């Protein structure tokens, strides 16, 4: 049972284009939604995160859009660069006594062609 | 500052063999986690620990055991390895429950033949 569903599984974008990755969740107890970026041979690292009381958060070329009523959130990478080629995971964390546990989506392999 | 260190990085086992993966963190974090990463499945939580001497089951705990005898170390054991346990294992740590960042290690790739 995948509580966080991520799409697409893979994505190819040309340099300078916009990359969009989508996630949907069911559990309304989730109160924190981070995105992690993983390069080959490395562990995931926090990229950007949002709380459900905010509809959008932007950090440089990376933007999270959040739709609480639809229980969906997405990552937009503007002006995509070859260095952005990596696997991206959305995640969600329950409030209360979750002990910081994250539930991850399936991951999206992003390839940005020069 | 090394962060989270996992050993070994690679291991090949035969079915039925046992082994232990070691995770060490030097950030004095309270919480530690073991995830496994499989293609198309994302990262799934195996076990976690909220402090020295405590452990709890995650989403996919069967076939694994863990121990946290020291605050800085979190061990993941496979008593009788199965091919279904072929995966990349990641350890992560967090300073406390309200912290918003998990720090991951570089991963341990395990193949069970």
């Amino acid at each position: 049972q995948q509580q966080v569903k991520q799409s697409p599984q893979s994505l190819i974008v040309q340099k300078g284009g916009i990359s969009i990755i989508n996630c949907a969740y069911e559990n309304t107890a989730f109160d924190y939604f981070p995105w992690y970026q993983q390069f080959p041979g490395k562990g995931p690292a926090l990229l950007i995160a949002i709380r459900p009381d905010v509809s959008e958060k932007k950090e440089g070329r990376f933007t999270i859009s959040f739709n609480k009523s639809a229980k969906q959130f997405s990552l937009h990478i503007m002006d995509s660069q070859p260095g952005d080629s990596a696997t991206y995971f959305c995640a969600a964390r329950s409030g209360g006594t979750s002990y910081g546990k994250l539930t991850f989506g399936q991951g999206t392999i992003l390839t940005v062609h020069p | 500052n090394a962060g989270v260190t996992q050993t070994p990085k690679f291991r090949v086992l035969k079915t039925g063999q046992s082994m232990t993966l070691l995770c060490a963190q030097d950030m004095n974090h309270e919480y530690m986690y073991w995830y496994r990463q499989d293609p198309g499945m994302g990262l799934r939580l195996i076990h976690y620990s909220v402090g020295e001497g405590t452990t709890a089951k995650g989403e996919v705990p069967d076939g694994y055991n863990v121990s946290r005898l020291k605050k800085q170390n979190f061990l993941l054991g496979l008593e009788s390895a199965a091919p279904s346990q072929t995966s990349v294992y990641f350890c992560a740590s967090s300073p406390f429950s309200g912290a918003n960042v998990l720090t991951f290690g570089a991963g341990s790739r395990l193949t069970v033949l």
Side-chain angles (χ1 to χ4, degrees):
Chain A
Q1 182 184 359
Q2 195 76 33
Q3 291 196 55
V4 179
K5 296 185 178 180
Q6 182 173 347
S7 63
Q9 189 170 0
S10 63
L11 181 61
I12 299 174
V13 175
Q14 294 296 316
K15 179 181 177 181
I18 301 173
S19 303
I20 302 174
I21 304 170
N22 300 300
C23 286
Y25 65 96
E26 291 296 327
N27 188 350
T28 56
F30 289 147
D31 69 348
Y32 172 70
F33 301 86
W35 285 87
Y36 278 75
Q37 180 188 55
Q38 182 185 32
F39 293 106
K42 304 293 185 182
L46 179 66
L47 180 64
I48 187 173
I50 197 168
R51 292 195 177 275
D53 54 350
V54 177
S55 62
E56 184 176 285
K57 183 174 182 180
K58 182 177 182 180
E59 291 185 2
R61 295 184 294 107
F62 300 90
T63 300
I64 300 177
S65 296
F66 190 86
N67 186 331
K68 187 174 182 178
S69 61
K71 292 187 284 187
Q72 296 175 347
F73 58 110
S74 60
L75 176 69
H76 295 234
I77 306 175
M78 309 300 289
D79 187 26
S80 299
Q81 299 296 312
D84 296 331
S85 297
T87 300
Y88 292 81
F89 293 97
C90 62
R93 187 190 69 190
S94 293
T97 57
S98 67
Y99 301 113
K101 302 192 303 291
L102 293 178
T103 299
F104 286 88
Q106 296 91 327
T108 296
I109 301 172
L110 172 64
T111 303
V112 181
H113 286 314
Chain B
N1 191 344
V4 178
T5 303
Q6 295 182 227
T7 53
K9 288 183 169 47
F10 302 94
R11 184 74 187 270
V12 178
L13 289 177
K14 294 181 179 179
T15 297
Q17 287 185 319
S18 63
M19 75 156 296
T20 300
L21 297 177
L22 171 63
C23 176
Q25 52 95 2
D26 61 1
M27 299 171 286
N28 200 35
H29 283 178
E30 289 294 329
Y31 293 11
M32 297 186 75
Y33 316 84
W34 275 107
Y35 284 88
R36 60 177 288 174
Q37 181 178 3
D38 303 289
M41 302 293 289
L43 293 114
R44 292 179 293 170
L45 183 64
I46 304 171
H47 285 281
Y48 64 100
S49 169
V50 300
E52 183 178 313
T54 70
T55 63
K57 294 180 180 180
E59 181 185 356
V60 288
D62 294 344
Y64 305 95
N65 57 76
V66 288
S67 64
R68 187 139 179 233
L69 300 179
K70 294 182 179 181
K71 184 177 183 178
Q72 64 268 36
N73 295 337
F74 195 29
L75 279 62
L76 178 70
L78 286 72
E79 291 187 346
S80 179
S84 61
Q85 295 177 305
T86 293
S87 186
V88 181
Y89 292 86
F90 286 96
C91 176
S93 70
S94 172
F96 55 90
S97 178
N100 291 334
V101 182
L102 264 60
T103 301
F104 281 85
S108 298
R109 181 176 293 275
L110 174 66
T111 301
V112 183
L113 302 176

